[in-house]
Amino acid sequence: MKDCPELNFMSQLGQTVLQQGIPLNGTFELTPRCNFRCRMCYVRLDEAQMAAIGQELSVQQWLEIARQARDLGMLHLALTGGEVFAYPGFRQLYEELCGLGLLITIQTNGYGITESVMQWLGKYQPFQIRLSLYGATNETYRKLCGVPDGFDRVNTAVDLIHRAGIPLSAVTTLTVDNIQELAAMERYAQEKRFPLLNTALLMPAVRGAVSESRVCSLDLPAVIRSKEKTPQPRQEHPIMWDCGSYRNGFYVTWNGKLQLCTFMDAPAVDALPFEENWQKLLKQLDAYREPAQCADCAYKAYCQRCPGRLAAWTLPDGKIDPAFCELARTRALK
Amino acid sequence: MVYSYVYILEGDRLKLKDGFLLRNIAGQHMAVPVGERSAELHGVLSLNKTGAFLWQQLSREQNVESLICALTETYEVSQENARDAVEGFLAQLRMQKVLEE
């Protein structure tokens, strides 16, 4: 079989990036604001909640972080929220970022992508758009996200994105409110020709957010017992190896903290100056060890943990939420 | 890092076309589309060492012969191999629709 030059290029880049600790993949969480009020959201904040925690960064601050990260090797940049189109100055920021030599992914619920937005988004195109899809009807969007015309607006956005030729993929979070529409969502994705992934693991709220994730979660042990393929045990390895972003990715929160991902908020450092603080973060992550209760866990080999998930599922007393551990136990017993 | 241009091939003259940023990340060279060029290419053009060198040469007006000359002056390579490299590179740019004709 002939070598595939594209795979060789990416593989070589990936290896060197890991060895040298280069921040190839960045995520900017521009705002915790959102035009949706999804019941299971782990990050959305209202104005009063935001004011108690910190301040959104300005466009110039984001651009400075982007330039410094790019100079250190950032190529991929994902823009997320909340909802990115709810960030004041999003268009100005986005258009400036488009001149920096980055591959930009816009993560959005799609509601704000209208004809007039596509006038400028279609001109300076992102590398891809990743859509959060919540249902296949307006009724489900109303029930789950608190918007009366969500599906219609998202459908319009999908058509606009396709017409512009922007690569599109989607992810859906399955809850008790939309599980009955999973098949319809999959048919919709097939008809509109975009890949759709789904996840049913609702993450606990982080960094001051409040959510109904426990109430609207599916019965995950039951899902594992009935639907998941027989799980294979994983080999023992250091916890940080469970993270695809370790030593190559980073997350900057809406109030300017540099951390590994949206869930793992410690260790965290200031985003600027970027190079110095990226190195600080790497050192602190290198020193991270798994929680004590995981060391002797009988079900460790079946646990779909990563440092971020463990951080999000850690209770105030420092123990991992038994509901998360139950999932590993269920897989082990399957 | 070089903000670079891609040339339109017209006979012996190569004309400027804008819209790519030449980057070197962890020793890997690539040209990343910027601005309106991003509507034509959702990805990067990966360049080997020779490709990156020729890309940088193309930041000034060139023709096929001057590119060959630049290669032979910088690297220990024969005229013939340099010509193959230049013509192959320009063909790749054409195939990626980075050159207009």
Side-chain angles (χ1 to χ4, degrees):
Chain A
M1 183 184 287
K2 272 173 112 172
D3 263 350
C4 174
E6 290 77 20
L7 286 178
N8 287 345
F9 170 77
M10 293 309 297
S11 166
Q12 207 141 5
L13 181 63
Q15 280 173 27
T16 314
V17 156
L18 281 178
Q19 279 161 14
Q20 297 183 13
I22 290 172
L24 186 71
N25 306 296
T27 300
F28 288 179
E29 179 191 78
L30 300 182
T31 180
R33 301 168 203 254
C34 191
N35 50 350
F36 284 14
R37 301 188 71 77
C38 301
R39 296 178 66 201
M40 68 294 190
C41 184
Y42 52 77
V43 73
R44 181 175 48 80
L45 298 174
D46 61 28
E47 300 276 350
Q49 290 168 316
M50 285 170 62
I53 294 169
Q55 258 191 320
E56 283 176 332
L57 300 186
S58 67
V59 167
Q60 291 312 315
Q61 285 174 311
W62 281 118
L63 287 172
E64 187 54 33
I65 297 169
R67 281 188 208 104
Q68 291 190 22
R70 178 209 52 192
D71 290 347
L72 208 53
M74 180 174 73
L75 175 62
H76 287 275
L77 175 60
L79 303 176
T80 190
E83 171 51 43
V84 293
F85 287 95
Y87 174 72
F90 177 69
R91 178 181 174 178
Q92 182 197 353
L93 171 61
Y94 171 74
E95 288 182 343
E96 295 262 14
L97 288 171
C98 285
L100 296 186
L102 304 169
L103 298 178
I104 298 174
T105 295
I106 294 178
Q107 296 178 189
T108 174
N109 60 35
Y111 191 92
I113 298 181
T114 59
E115 288 270 9
S116 68
V117 164
M118 197 48 80
Q119 295 288 314
W120 50 269
L121 200 59
K123 195 171 153 196
Y124 289 5
Q125 292 195 4
F127 173 58
Q128 61 179 341
I129 289 178
R130 196 169 296 142
L131 188 72
S132 298
L133 188 68
Y134 294 101
T137 61
N138 284 332
E139 176 53 25
T140 295
Y141 267 80
R142 186 198 59 75
K143 205 171 18 166
L144 182 55
C145 311
V147 289
D149 57 348
F151 184 73
D152 284 348
R153 291 285 293 261
V154 167
N155 186 46
T156 299
V158 168
D159 289 342
L160 288 169
I161 291 165
H162 275 326
R163 208 183 323 147
I166 299 171
L168 172 67
S169 64
V171 62
T172 189
T173 305
L174 298 173
T175 76
V176 295
D177 291 316
N178 66 0
I179 182 63
Q180 75 286 357
E181 288 191 353
L182 175 56
M185 284 193 273
E186 287 174 337
R187 277 195 306 272
Y188 174 71
Q190 203 165 24
E191 173 199 318
K192 295 289 186 173
R193 297 181 185 279
F194 60 82
L196 175 66
L197 294 179
N198 67 71
T199 178
L201 179 63
L202 302 188
M203 298 298 285
V206 293
R207 293 182 277 125
V210 177
S211 92
E212 297 178 67
S213 59
R214 279 201 186 276
V215 172
C216 52
S217 176
L218 299 175
D219 179 350
L220 290 182
V223 169
I224 291 169
R225 282 190 291 268
S226 67
K227 299 257 190 260
E228 274 191 19
K229 293 184 202 162
T230 305
Q232 299 302 313
R234 303 186 313 168
Q235 284 190 354
E236 179 87 29
H237 51 246
I239 176 75
M240 289 309 303
W241 293 19
D242 286 323
C243 179
S245 294
Y246 177 49
R247 295 184 63 76
N248 71 84
F250 65 89
Y251 192 94
V252 181
T253 67
W254 62 271
N255 54 331
K257 292 300 177 190
L258 175 65
Q259 54 194 54
L260 180 61
C261 70
T262 184
F263 301 116
M264 193 180 188
D265 57 3
V269 294
D270 289 334
L272 291 172
F274 188 85
E275 181 169 4
E276 174 188 321
N277 287 338
W278 165 250
Q279 294 303 331
K280 262 193 214 157
L281 181 65
L282 282 186
K283 274 207 180 73
Q284 292 178 37
L285 290 172
D286 284 346
Y288 179 79
R289 297 291 177 266
E290 65 182 0
Q293 81 179 86
C294 296
D296 300 318
C297 177
Y299 312 117
K300 197 195 302 195
Y302 294 90
C303 183
Q304 290 186 349
R305 67 182 194 171
C306 71
R309 282 179 174 174
L310 290 183
W313 285 92
T314 299
L315 298 169
D317 65 3
K319 295 260 188 322
I320 308 296
D321 191 326
F324 183 73
C325 300
E326 179 61 18
L327 304 181
R329 196 185 83 88
T330 306
R331 281 189 206 98
L333 296 177
K334 188 172 161 102
Chain B
M1 178 166 46
V2 176
Y3 190 88
S4 298
Y5 299 82
V6 171
Y7 284 75
I8 299 171
L9 191 60
E10 269 189 11
D12 284 338
R13 283 182 308 145
L14 299 173
K15 251 166 71 175
L16 278 175
K17 194 174 166 190
D18 64 7
F20 288 90
L21 209 67
L22 186 63
R23 296 195 59 187
N24 180 340
I25 301 174
Q28 299 290 326
H29 302 277
M30 64 195 82
V32 186
V34 295
E36 292 183 45
R37 193 63 58 201
S38 61
E40 295 171 14
L41 176 64
H42 295 101
V44 303
L45 298 175
S46 64
L47 303 166
N48 61 18
K49 214 167 145 190
T50 306
F53 173 81
L54 291 173
W55 190 285
Q56 284 184 304
Q57 297 305 306
L58 287 166
S59 66
R60 298 179 300 279
E61 190 175 279
Q62 302 282 357
N63 56 38
V64 171
E65 295 307 320
S66 65
L67 288 174
I68 293 169
C69 203
L71 266 184
T72 53
E73 280 175 5
T74 308
Y75 298 103
E76 284 186 18
V77 60
S78 68
Q79 276 287 114
E80 189 184 342
N81 285 345
R83 178 172 295 279
D84 284 346
V86 167
E87 288 177 350
F89 180 66
L90 292 176
Q92 286 288 325
L93 295 183
R94 200 173 285 120
M95 199 161 43
Q96 294 293 333
K97 298 185 177 149
V98 158
L99 288 181
E100 282 181 17
E101 297 182 282

